[in-house]
């Protein structure tokens, strides 16, 4: 769903509606939160006693295999598409390739390949190749910090649910205060893209995972009702976004509703979550990372060649979906298996959190597997 929101944000036919309700930014904030949640479910036992070299190495290899091969392929694809069709006419900064020197192009490409885009104080670098990839660069920073954050959260917050709740509240207040105090003073390009300012959302996801683990074995009553309430709260929060100050709109305002959705749906105790666990939705979740990285390239190429309109929008969606499935099967899965196989030396690397969540709902906690048999809940982890 988050990837679809970003698709609507970049699609010319839905751009005005998406901008009014901030669908793209709220989707990015949601997946930062979800990323911390899922990674903590998978790797909490690896770092609860400390940050060791072996655990950290296996974690970094798993993240590298999950993200980088597909990122590299889509970066090359974006460069080829720009050369062949020109840049998307709907880029908010205009055509940021024309009029630049060869050195400027080299810097932009190097930053994209190395996932360094959001550290540059320039939209020409941040959005210069494949614009959605800036959030993957933020995630790379989160991954770098995760072993320390997971150890700290496990040692300080794990024993008591109350501590988890208080920690969540404290970080929410701190983050709100930072945004309120600095929102008008800090340039937008820093406040929105800079990784150290977005890691708060990621850490809140880690805390939510600890709270979930504490009550994962308990029976959840009225699961369907709770899921419907969570959806209503989320929709209502989105509906009033145009009235929310910009400084709070993209992360702080939606954090409680997003946290509620994640916490309730993770239990899979209601009809909505069971419906979303069907094989069709699992497959869509599996290819959604490729969809996220490809969609802007496809939209830009189709808009440049065929123009804008409803038929072109539908065509963009179909092409992106088909190409995403092909990349998932031909690039993402083989590359991930190869990288993990080369680095694990027989050690078990934590697999997708979906397996932990599913097993905990039926009262059985199994060891995480190198490859899930049933799917992954998030395209970004």
């Amino acid at each position: 769903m988050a990837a679809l929101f970003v698709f609507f944000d970049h699609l010319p036919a839905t751009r005005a509606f998406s901008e009014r309700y901030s669908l793209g930014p709220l989707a990015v904030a949601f997946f930062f939160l979800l990323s911390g949640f899922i990674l903590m479910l998978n790797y909490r036992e690896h770092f609860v006693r400390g940050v060791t070299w072996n655990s950290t190495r296996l974690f970094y290899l798993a993240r590298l295999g999950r993200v980088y091969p597909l990122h590299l392929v889509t970066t090359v694809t974006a460069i080829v598409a720009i050369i062949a069709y020109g840049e998307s006419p709907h880029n908010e900064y205009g055509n940021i390739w024309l009029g630049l020197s060869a050195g400027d192009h080299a810097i932009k490409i190097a930053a994209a390949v190395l996932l360094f885009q959001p550290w540059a104080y320039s939209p020409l670098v941040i959005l210069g190749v494949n614009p959605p990839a800036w959030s993957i660069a933020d995630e790379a920073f989160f991954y770098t910090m995760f072993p320390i954050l997971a150890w700290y959260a496990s040692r300080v917050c794990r024993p008591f649910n109350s501590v988890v709740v208080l920690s969540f509240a404290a970080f929410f207040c701190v983050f709100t205060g930072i945004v309120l105090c600095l929102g008008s003073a800090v340039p937008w390009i820093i406040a929105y893209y800079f990784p150290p300012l977005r890691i708060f959302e990621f850490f809140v996801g880690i805390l939510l995972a600890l709270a979930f683990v504490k009550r994962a074995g308990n029976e959840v009553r009225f699961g369907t009702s709770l899921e419907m309430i969570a959806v209503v709260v989320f929709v209502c929060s989105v509906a009033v976004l145009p009235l929310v100050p910009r400084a709070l709109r993209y992360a702080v305002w939606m954090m409680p509703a997003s946290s509620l959705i994640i916490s309730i749906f993770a239990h899979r105790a209601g009809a909505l979550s069971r419906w979303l666990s069907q094989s069709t939705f699992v497959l869509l979740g599996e290819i959604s990372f490729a969809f996220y990285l490809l969609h802007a390239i496809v939209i830009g190429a189709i808009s440049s060649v065929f123009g804008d309109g409803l038929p072109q929008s539908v065509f963009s969606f179909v092409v992106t979906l088909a190409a995403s499935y092909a990349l998932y099967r031909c690039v993402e899965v083989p590359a991930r298996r190869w990288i993990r196989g080369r680095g694990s030396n027989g050690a078990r690397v934590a697999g997708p959190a979906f397996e932990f969540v599913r097993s905990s709902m039926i009262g059985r906690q199994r060891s995480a597997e190198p490859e899930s048999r049933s799917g992954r809940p998030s395209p970004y982890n």
Side-chain angles (χ1 to χ4, degrees):
M1 184 61 71
L4 192 61
F5 277 8
V6 178
F7 177 84
F8 289 145
D9 189 54
H10 292 145
L11 195 67
T14 56
R15 186 69 181 270
F17 176 84
S18 176
E19 287 184 344
R20 176 172 174 79
Y21 292 99
S22 307
L23 296 186
L26 76 84
V28 171
F30 182 86
F31 103 71
F32 284 165
L33 195 68
L34 183 62
S35 177
F37 181 84
I38 291 176
L39 288 179
M40 192 61 182
L41 289 186
N42 268 333
Y43 292 96
R44 70 196 187 286
E45 296 299 333
H46 292 250
F47 300 109
V48 65
R49 294 180 179 85
V51 181
T52 65
W53 163 245
N54 188 57
S55 295
T56 303
R57 180 180 65 88
L58 292 177
F59 171 75
Y60 286 157
L61 281 171
R63 296 301 90 208
L64 178 67
R66 180 70 180 91
V67 171
Y68 196 73
L70 194 57
H71 164 69
L72 189 60
V73 169
T74 52
T75 297
V76 174
T77 304
I79 294 172
V80 172
I82 290 171
I83 295 173
Y85 301 107
E87 199 159 30
S88 170
H90 302 284
N91 191 307
E92 62 181 305
Y93 294 103
N95 195 317
I96 54 181
W97 277 73
L98 294 180
L100 297 179
S101 66
D104 291 332
H105 288 316
I107 291 174
K108 288 163 53 176
I109 293 173
V113 170
L114 298 175
L115 290 171
F116 198 76
Q117 310 97 298
W119 296 93
Y121 186 67
S122 169
L124 303 181
V125 176
I126 296 174
L127 306 175
V129 179
N130 186 17
W134 74 264
S135 60
I136 308 303
D138 274 32
E139 283 281 317
F141 173 71
F142 303 162
Y143 297 160
T144 302
M145 300 300 298
F146 176 77
I148 296 175
L149 294 176
W151 170 79
Y152 174 80
S154 298
R155 295 299 295 267
V156 174
C157 304
R158 189 179 184 182
F160 305 104
N161 276 335
S162 58
V163 176
V164 174
V165 173
L166 289 174
S167 298
F168 171 83
F171 268 84
F172 180 76
C173 292
V174 168
F175 189 59
T176 302
I178 290 175
V179 174
L180 286 174
C181 294
L182 303 181
S184 59
V186 176
W188 168 246
I189 197 171
I190 294 293
Y192 186 67
Y193 296 111
F194 197 48
L197 291 183
R198 301 305 300 264
I199 201 170
F200 288 99
E201 299 145 88
F202 181 78
F203 189 67
V204 168
I206 290 176
L207 297 177
L208 287 175
L210 289 176
F212 172 80
V213 170
K214 289 292 292 184
R215 61 177 182 271
N218 300 331
E219 180 183 1
V220 178
R221 303 178 61 185
F222 311 109
T224 301
S225 298
L226 290 174
E227 289 175 356
M228 294 180 65
I229 291 172
V231 171
V232 169
V233 170
F234 188 88
V235 172
C236 290
S237 299
V238 174
V240 299
L241 269 175
L243 305 177
V244 177
R246 186 179 181 183
L248 301 175
R249 188 180 302 172
Y250 300 132
V252 174
W253 175 259
M254 291 302 302
M255 194 179 291
S258 298
S259 300
L260 186 65
I261 284 277
I262 292 171
S263 299
I264 291 178
F265 275 76
H267 286 280
R268 298 181 70 234
L272 293 178
S273 58
R274 289 193 294 269
W275 181 65
L276 291 173
S277 299
Q278 296 179 73
S279 58
T280 300
F281 294 108
V282 171
L283 177 60
L284 290 174
E286 289 175 343
I287 69 174
S288 58
F289 180 46
F291 185 95
Y292 177 77
L293 288 178
L294 268 179
H295 77 276
I297 303 171
V298 174
I299 291 173
I302 291 178
S303 295
S304 298
V305 176
F306 301 107
D308 303 328
L310 182 59
Q312 291 89 334
S313 299
V314 175
F315 186 47
S316 295
F317 179 77
V318 172
V319 171
T320 304
L321 198 63
S324 300
Y325 179 79
L327 280 182
Y328 168 72
R329 290 295 185 189
C330 300
V331 176
E332 184 180 344
V333 172
R336 184 174 66 247
R337 288 175 176 170
W338 184 81
I339 291 177
R340 285 182 171 180
R342 296 273 294 184
S344 62
N345 295 323
R348 297 175 70 85
V349 181
F354 180 85
E355 285 299 318
F356 172 82
V357 174
R358 184 166 72 88
S359 63
S360 64
M361 295 311 97
I362 58 177
R364 302 194 310 271
Q365 295 187 10
R366 300 192 300 271
S367 298
E369 300 176 1
E371 294 291 338
S372 171
R373 293 187 295 272
S374 56
R376 293 180 297 283
S378 168
Y380 312 107
N381 302 286

